[in-house]
Amino acid sequence: MRLRLLLLALGTFAVGTDTMVMAGILGRVADDLGVSVLAAGQVVTVFALAYALLAPVLAAATARWPRRRLLLTALAVFTAANALSALAPDYPTLLATRVLAAAGAALYSPNASAAATTLVPPERRGRAIATVLGGMTVATALGVPLGTYVGRADWRLTMWLVTALGAVALLGLAAFLRELPAPAQAVGLRERLSPLRDGRVLAAAATTFAFFMAFQSVYIYLGTAVHPATGGDADRLSTILLATGVASVAGSWLGGHVVDRWGVRKVLLAGSVVSAVFFAALPWLGRTMTGALVYALAVPLAGWSISVAQPHRLASLRPADAPLLLSLNSSALYLGMAAGGGTGSLAMALLGERWFPLGASALALVALGMAAGTTRPAATAAAAAGAGRTRTPAGPAAGNRARQESSPSGV
C-alpha cells in the first residue's frame, strides 16, 4: 500500500517538476531554438493554459473510466509528450508537445489523489492525499533545482529527466496498482462549472487567478530578474531555485497552521502584502546573491500560504461541492500561471529586464483588494444570500461523491 502511494506521488513529482522547471532553463531553450527569452517563456504559458482548459473537459470525458486505466493512460501521454519535447527540432513543435504534456498532467493529478483515497481506510485518507500531493511540493524543492542543474549544458537533458520520472511511475503503477473502479456517479462538464454561478465562488476563483498571475509573471522570468546576482551561472540559479523550493514547502506547512490560527482573511491579506512588497523590491534585491536569496525565501512563503488558504476558503463555502470547487480553483490557478507568462513578457517589454517585477507588485495589490473586498463578513453574507436565492441544492448523490473524491493540487 505504501509503495503504491509513493508511486502515485512520484507521478505528481514528475508533473510538478515539468510544470515549474522551465523557469530554470529558459535561456538555454531560447538560445537553442533561436527565439527570444520572452518567446521561450510562452512555453510555460501554453502548458498552463492547456492544463487549465483541458482539466475539466478531460475529467468529464473520462469520468466513467476505471482509475487504473485512466492513470496509466495519463502517465503514458505525459511521458511520451516529454520525450517528444526533448526531441523537438523547433519552437512550434515544442509548443505542440507542451500541450500534449499538459493533457497528460491534467488527467493524472486529480485522479492520483482520488485513487489514493481508495487504497487506505477512511481514517487515513487525509494522510494518503497528503502523500500524493506531497510529490508536487517536493518537486518545487528538489525537482526544479535538479532539473535546472541537469540542463545547465543542454535543456533537453532536463526533458529527458522528466521523461524518466514519468516512465518509472508508469511502470511501477502498471506492476503494482490493482484495478480501481470509476465513481458510480459521473459528473458532467456542465455540473463541474455550475458552482461559478455562486458569486462567492467566482470571487474566490478570481482572487486565485489574480495572485498567481502576479506570482508567475516573475517566476517564469526569475533567471532574468536575478541575472545580475547570478551572472548567468546555472549553479547560482539552481541555488536560488532550491531556496525557492524549500520556502515553498515551508510555506505550504505554515499556511495550514496560520489559516487555522488566524483565519483565511488575515492569511490572504498578509500574504498579498508581503508578496507586493518583495516584488517591488526585487529590482534591488536581484542585484546580489544575498538579496536574491531573501526574495526566494520570502515570496514563496507568502505565496504557498495563500495557496493553502484559497482551497480552505472555497471548501468552506459549499462543503458538499468541495471537490468541484477545488477543481475550479486548480483551473483558476493554472489560468493565472498562463496569464502570468504573457503579463511578465509584456511588463518586460514595457519596463525593461530590471523593472518588470513592478508589474507583479501592482497585480498583487489588485489581488489584495479583491481578497479584502470579498472576504469581509458583510460581503460574504450578501453573496451567500444571493447564492441561496439562485442556487439549486445539490442532490444526495452529488454530496456523497463530493465527500468521497479528492481535489487536484495547486502551484
Side-chain angles (χ1 to χ4, degrees), residues 9 17 49 57 83 92 156 163 201 237 245 304 346 352 367 396:
T17 300
L49 182 62
V57 175
R156 298 176 189 273
T163 300
V201 174
L237 181 58
W304 279 78
L346 178 61

Side-chain angles (χ1 to χ4, degrees), residues 25-243:
I25 58 174
L26 277 188
R28 284 155 186 80
V29 173
D31 291 342
D32 184 45
L33 299 182
V35 298
S36 67
V37 171
L38 297 182
Q42 302 316 301
V43 172
V44 182
T45 300
V46 166
F47 182 96
L49 182 62
Y51 187 111
L53 296 179
L54 291 173
V57 175
L58 292 174
T62 61
R64 294 191 182 278
W65 284 28
R67 283 207 180 102
R68 181 178 185 274
R69 184 177 74 177
L70 193 155
L71 288 169
L72 296 182
T73 299
L75 277 178
V77 170
F78 173 81
T79 302
N82 275 283
L84 292 173
S85 293
L87 297 170
D90 51 42
Y91 180 68
T93 303
L94 179 61
L95 290 179
T97 64
R98 301 319 295 153
V99 172
L100 189 61
L107 195 56
Y108 178 80
S109 296
N111 286 289
S113 296
T117 65
T118 69
L119 298 176
V120 296
E123 65 273 10
R124 296 182 59 189
R125 286 178 180 171
R127 280 171 286 178
I129 293 172
T131 298
V132 174
L133 296 186
M136 188 73 71
T137 306
V138 173
T140 64
L142 180 61
V144 172
L146 176 61
T148 301
Y149 180 79
V150 168
R152 65 192 186 281
D154 185 351
W155 67 272
R156 298 176 189 273
L157 294 177
T158 301
M159 295 293 96
W160 285 120
L161 172 64
V162 177
T163 300
L165 292 171
V168 172
L170 172 61
L171 294 174
L173 290 175
F176 296 105
L177 185 66
R178 57 179 168 79
E179 188 60 83
L180 302 169
Q185 296 291 331
V187 178
L189 182 59
R190 178 177 295 182
E191 187 175 355
R192 288 179 180 275
L193 298 179
S194 63
L196 288 176
R197 291 195 295 266
D198 186 332
R200 300 170 302 166
V201 174
L202 189 60
T207 303
T208 294
F209 171 81
F211 180 80
F212 282 94
M213 179 167 58
F215 181 86
Q216 199 71 5
S217 69
V218 173
Y219 183 83
I220 293 175
Y221 304 107
L222 186 59
T224 299
V226 300
H227 188 271
T230 65
D233 183 75
D235 291 343
R236 288 193 168 201
L237 181 58
S238 295
T239 300
I240 292 171
L241 291 173
L242 177 62

